[in-house]
């Protein structure tokens, strides 16, 4: 089976299993995972800030630098489908600079049965360790079981790194800027890099070894280092036990940047090469070709015009954070396509976050505020990528309403827009040139309230604000005149997944 088809199979069980999966219970006695809400816990290991959610470490940052995107334990069956974890115990203890987490989970589906326990410890010295011990509940086929480490491409593309194998032999490499169809690195136990300001980051694995692939081929915005436990794949035997220990360490930490009370949005110059694409509608049944199929067969497709592939962030992880993070991937895919097909127009169809296998399934988030926020963010990155056309299979609801507002501005340029925030940004913004000025779109990409401030805003005729949030129907956003502070600052308190259009 071709790798593109294999990867698409991963999506088959993800959504339904994720919707049934548990959240976490912080600083409380263990209890049943059934019916628990997903909650986020903010933790620190010395200078490392991290979010803990759904049994995963997310957004490991030092200052304003993301040093790793995620650390999590995954169970794949023989078809590459993921058996999502059901947690019977998640217990968190934390102080201002340290934490300890105990986990117990079962990953069970029609084709897999695996239980594991984990302990994650973060120390004030800037060290996080993740020990995992697991065993099979019955015989089943599996291609991979173990800890995965994601490195965010936006943070690390172009960054040099060094790996070491079991014999401590070093190898020099670089996180690739263009999307590579081959492994980024193979057979290593340690990966370390040093940032431009001297921050040293080291990740290591005991009990098995890493390989690393470029997940941007599949719509994710990361490089994935995976470390399969030492099983005799694909045959997992009932009662087989294996263990592994992951660690990530930081040293030579630079001075922390100042803490901001709100995300700061700054508008810059008009961007000639960033334009809103032609926005169309795709059927939910429209089959899509993932970028890996294009990237791994360049000689065959480089003469096509337009060059066409689909965009769907649901192939690996089904949670909302992952979908939002992955919107940046299209910029890397487009740059890569132009490297081997420089004269081709680029069309993305379909654009969706619906799962495709084993049968096409509509994601209920299409109807929600999340769908609108996701669609608005994706349009921004399609424009930055220079995509000519994009056909969306989203909505109805907020996603379709917001796309309908932006679609008439196809061909209009963006203004350079900068968002400065603490840690992992949860606010996105982009500004579109219009006939009488510009419109600034502000997006809360998280399920938590966020604050944002726009500088140098003036009020006057025709200047107004429209807001899509949980108090407004999709087709009737709340409208109000602009009311900046005397110094020209417009400060907004954004509800979860709220989208705001500011007519400047």
């Amino acid at each position: 089976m071709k790798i593109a088809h294999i990867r698409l199979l991963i999506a088959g069980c993800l959504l339904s299993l994720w919707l049934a999966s548990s959240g976490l219970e912080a600083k409380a006695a263990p209890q049943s995972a059934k019916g628990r809400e997903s909650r986020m816990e903010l933790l620190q290991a010395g200078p490392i800030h991290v979010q803990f959610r759904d049994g995963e470490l997310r957004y490991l940052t030092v200052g304003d630098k993301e040093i790793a995107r995620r650390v999590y334990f995954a169970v794949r069956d023989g078809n590459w489908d993921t058996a999502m974890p059901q947690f019977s115990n998640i217990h968190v203890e934390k102080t201002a600079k340290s934490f300890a987490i105990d986990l117990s989970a079962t990953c069970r589906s029609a084709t897999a049965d695996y239980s594991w326990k984990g302990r994650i410890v973060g120390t004030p010295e800037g060290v996080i360790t993740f020990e995992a011990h697991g065993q099979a509940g019955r015989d089943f086929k599996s291609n991979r079981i173990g800890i995965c480490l994601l490195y965010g491409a936006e943070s690390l593309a172009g960054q040099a790194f060094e790996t070491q194998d079991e014999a401590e032999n070093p190898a020099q490499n670089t996180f690739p800027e263009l999307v590579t169809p081959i492994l980024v690195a193979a057979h290593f136990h340690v990966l370390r890099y040093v940032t431009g300001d001297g921050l040293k980051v080291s990740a290591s694995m005991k009990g098995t070894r890493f390989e690393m692939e470029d997940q941007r081929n599949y719509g994710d915005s990361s490089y994935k280092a995976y470390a399969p436990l030492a099983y005799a794949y694909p045959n997992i035997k009932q009662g087989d036990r294996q263990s592994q220990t992951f660690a990530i360490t930081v040293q030579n930490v630079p001075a922390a940047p100042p803490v901001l009370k709100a995300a700061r949005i700054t508008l810059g110059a008009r961007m000639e090469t960033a334009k809103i694409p032609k926005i169309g509608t795709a059927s939910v049944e429209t089959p899509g070709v993932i970028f890996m199929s294009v990237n791994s067969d360049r000689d065959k497709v480089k003469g096509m015009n337009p060059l066409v592939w689909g965009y769907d962030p649901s192939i690996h992880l089904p949670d909302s954070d992952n979908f939002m993070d992955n919107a940046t991937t299209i910029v890397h895919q487009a740059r890569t396509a132009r490297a081997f097909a420089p004269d081709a127009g680029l069309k993305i169809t379909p654009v969706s976050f619906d799962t495709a296998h084993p049968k096409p399934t509509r994601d209920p988030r299409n109807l929600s505020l999340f769908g609108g926020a996701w669609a608005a963010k994706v349009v921004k990155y399609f424009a930055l990528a220079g995509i000519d056309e994009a056909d969306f299979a989203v909505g109805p609801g907020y996603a379709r309403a917001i796309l309908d507002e932006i679609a008439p501005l196809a061909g209009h340029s963006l203004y350079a827009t900068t968002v400065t925030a603490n840690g992992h940004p949860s606010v996105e913004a982009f500004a579109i040139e219009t006939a009488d000025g510009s419109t600034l779109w502000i997006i809360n990409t998280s399920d938590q309230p966020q604050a944002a401030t726009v500088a140098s805003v003036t009020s006057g005729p025709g200047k107004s604000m429209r807001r899509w949030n949980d108090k407004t129907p999709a087709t009737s956003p709340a409208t109000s005149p602009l009311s900046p502070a005397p110094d020209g600052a417009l400060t907004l308190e954004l509800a979860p997944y709220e989208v705001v259009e500011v007519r400047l």
Side-chain angles (χ1 to χ4, degrees):
M1 184 178 291
K2 291 184 178 180
I3 190 168
H5 296 155
I6 291 173
R7 294 294 179 181
L8 279 175
L9 286 172
I10 297 171
C13 294
L14 281 177
L15 179 64
S16 58
L17 290 171
W18 171 76
L19 290 172
S21 67
S22 68
L24 63 88
E25 183 70 19
K27 301 177 73 173
Q31 58 174 299
S32 170
K34 293 182 180 179
R36 289 195 309 193
E37 258 182 40
S38 173
R39 290 169 46 195
M40 178 180 66
E41 188 82 12
L42 300 177
L43 306 171
Q44 276 189 248
I48 305 175
H49 293 252
V50 61
Q51 293 182 17
F52 177 68
R53 192 168 195 161
D54 299 334
E56 303 176 352
L57 301 180
R58 301 181 184 177
Y59 311 127
L60 286 73
T61 60
V62 174
D64 56 4
K65 176 69 173 180
E66 182 184 270
I67 62 169
R69 173 65 52 81
R70 291 195 185 202
V71 183
Y72 61 99
F73 190 94
V75 176
R76 300 287 181 88
D77 71 9
N79 291 320
W80 291 105
D81 287 331
T82 301
M84 299 299 288
Q86 294 281 344
F87 291 99
S88 58
N89 171 46
I90 298 182
H91 186 78
V92 179
E93 300 281 349
K94 69 176 183 177
T95 69
K97 296 290 185 179
S98 67
F99 63 85
I101 306 167
D102 290 301
L103 306 167
S104 298
T106 299
C107 301
R108 185 176 293 127
S109 68
T111 54
D113 188 346
Y114 195 85
S115 297
W116 60 275
K117 292 185 177 182
R119 182 166 176 79
I120 308 174
V121 176
T123 73
E125 293 73 31
V127 179
I128 296 175
T129 57
F130 187 159
E131 297 181 31
H133 311 271
Q135 66 175 339
R138 58 180 169 85
D139 293 356
F140 66 96
K141 299 288 186 181
S142 172
N143 292 321
R144 190 184 298 161
I145 300 171
I147 290 174
C148 296
L149 165 65
L150 304 188
Y151 288 107
E154 288 302 303
S155 176
L156 291 172
Q159 169 72 53
F161 66 88
E162 178 184 272
T163 60
Q164 285 187 349
D165 61 17
E166 294 170 294
E168 298 187 359
N169 297 311
Q172 307 302 316
N173 210 325
T174 301
F175 290 104
E177 296 196 24
L178 298 182
V179 185
T180 177
I182 62 175
L183 287 178
V184 177
H187 309 323
F188 61 93
H189 286 263
V190 177
L191 186 151
R192 60 173 63 98
Y193 64 87
V194 182
T195 65
D197 56 4
L199 174 66
K200 297 179 179 180
V201 182
S202 178
S204 62
M205 178 64 68
K206 294 181 180 179
T208 183
R209 63 186 181 182
F210 277 125
E211 291 188 337
M212 184 159 59
E213 65 183 352
D214 194 333
Q215 287 209 123
R216 296 174 297 175
N217 282 295
Y218 313 111
D220 287 29
S221 60
S222 64
Y223 313 98
K224 179 167 72 175
Y226 50 88
L229 287 163
Y231 287 111
Y233 300 100
N235 298 310
I236 308 299
K237 298 297 183 182
Q238 181 177 0
D240 276 1
R241 297 172 179 266
Q242 294 290 339
S243 300
Q244 61 187 165
T245 301
F246 164 81
I248 188 166
T249 304
V250 297
Q251 296 176 305
N252 199 29
V253 177
V259 176
L260 301 176
K261 293 182 179 180
R264 289 197 306 237
I265 300 172
T266 306
L267 274 65
R270 181 175 177 271
M271 304 170 70
E272 291 290 341
T273 59
K275 299 180 185 296
I276 296 296
K278 180 181 178 182
I279 296 174
T281 301
S283 167
V284 294
E285 288 80 24
T286 303
V289 175
I290 63 173
F291 187 72
M292 181 62 170
S293 296
V294 173
N295 200 27
S296 61
D297 204 358
R298 299 179 179 186
D299 289 339
K300 180 179 178 180
V301 304
K302 66 182 180 182
M304 295 181 179
N305 193 10
L307 190 57
V308 180
W309 67 93
Y311 176 73
D312 189 326
S314 71
I315 292 177
H316 283 106
L317 294 170
D319 61 87
S320 298
D321 284 349
N322 183 61
F323 286 8
M324 285 293 185
D325 294 337
N326 290 344
T328 60
T329 306
I330 200 67
V331 175
H332 301 273
Q333 292 180 344
R335 288 174 183 165
T336 304
R338 288 197 178 91
F340 60 82
D343 299 322
L346 303 181
K347 181 175 181 178
I348 311 299
T349 185
V351 182
S352 170
F353 54 78
D354 291 329
T355 186
H357 290 270
K359 63 179 181 179
T361 303
R362 293 295 282 160
D363 190 310
R365 287 169 287 186
N366 273 295
L367 304 177
S368 69
L369 282 166
F370 170 86
W374 181 84
K377 181 173 180 178
V378 168
V379 167
K380 169 185 175 176
Y381 285 96
F382 281 6
L384 292 176
I387 300 302
D388 299 294
E389 295 183 57
D391 293 343
F392 285 77
V394 296
Y398 294 93
R400 180 48 56 188
I402 289 169
L403 289 173
D404 287 345
E405 290 293 329
I406 299 175
L409 296 175
H412 288 234
S413 297
L414 297 194
Y415 290 96
T417 307
T418 303
V419 179
T420 306
N422 300 319
H424 181 78
S426 295
V427 174
E428 282 279 359
F430 63 102
I432 311 172
E433 181 185 41
T434 63
D436 55 356
S438 63
T439 60
L440 173 66
W441 290 82
I442 304 171
I443 311 159
N444 181 355
T445 62
S446 77
D447 63 357
Q448 303 295 313
Q450 303 291 333
T453 299
V454 188
S456 304
V457 175
T458 58
S459 59
K463 298 188 176 184
S464 62
M465 180 168 56
R466 297 199 296 169
R467 307 181 71 152
W468 286 265
N469 54 44
D470 59 2
K471 295 181 174 60
T472 64
T475 56
S476 301
T479 303
S480 63
L482 293 186
S483 300
D487 63 358
L490 176 66
T491 299
L492 301 174
E493 298 296 330
L494 302 172
Y497 299 125
E498 182 169 13
V499 179
V500 180
E501 179 196 21
V502 183
R503 296 181 177 180
L504 300 172

